[in-house]
Amino acid sequence: MTLTDLPAGFRDEEQRGYVRRVIHDRLADDRDQQECRYLMRFWWQLGMPYQEVTLDQLRANLDEAKLRLVEELIDAVRTSPEAIDDWIDTVEGSLPVVRDRGFEEARTWPGGKARPTP
């Protein structure tokens, strides 16, 4: 199933941007690089008229819980902007913001001291 119809389902750019932030901040965990890669391809798909990722690729690369949330978002986008708002509320109410451990490690010297800025 193609996902190229998704960009047209949002109320406006603000809603699309909000959904993208939710995906980035609450679903895309860089500790699982493969899953994160496909979530970010889906993130990109939400604004592109061409195919960046397929539903089959998402099914093959996302864990069951995240795949369920992505499928619920796809259904919401194809239903109404209000359904998208409900999806946002559900995800924000049930998932914490993912800590970016790679960024934290890159900014810290061994021993826990912050790296000086140039």
Side-chain angles (χ1 to χ4, degrees):
M1 173 188 311
T2 182
L3 302 176
T4 58
D5 63 318
L6 297 181
F10 294 92
R11 177 183 303 115
D12 51 29
E13 286 299 317
E14 184 177 348
Q15 186 181 47
R16 180 191 344 269
Y18 202 98
V19 167
R20 283 178 153 181
R21 281 189 296 281
V22 169
I23 291 168
H24 177 273
D25 294 349
R26 297 182 187 260
L27 297 178
D29 188 340
D30 65 355
R31 289 175 292 177
D32 184 335
Q33 289 290 308
Q34 186 74 357
E35 182 178 79
C36 186
R37 180 179 301 112
Y38 279 89
L39 280 166
M40 294 312 293
R41 288 179 72 188
F42 177 69
W43 175 95
W44 192 254
Q45 182 71 61
L46 295 176
M48 296 297 131
Y50 58 83
Q51 185 152 310
E52 182 66 31
V53 68
T54 66
L55 191 53
D56 286 340
Q57 289 172 323
L58 293 171
R59 287 178 176 147
N61 290 286
L62 302 185
D63 74 29
E64 188 175 319
K66 288 182 184 173
L67 176 61
R68 180 180 45 79
L69 291 171
V70 166
E71 288 176 333
E72 288 172 1
L73 174 59
I74 292 167
D75 290 342
V77 170
R78 290 178 173 158
T79 301
S80 70
E82 294 76 24
I84 297 169
D85 291 338
D86 291 343
W87 180 88
I88 291 169
D89 291 342
T90 298
V91 173
E92 287 187 325
S94 63
L95 294 177
V97 173
V98 174
R99 288 183 51 213
D100 187 339
R101 288 168 179 79
F103 178 75
E104 290 172 2
E105 289 174 13
R107 295 190 42 88
T108 306
W109 286 104
K113 296 184 179 177
R115 182 176 358 169
T117 56

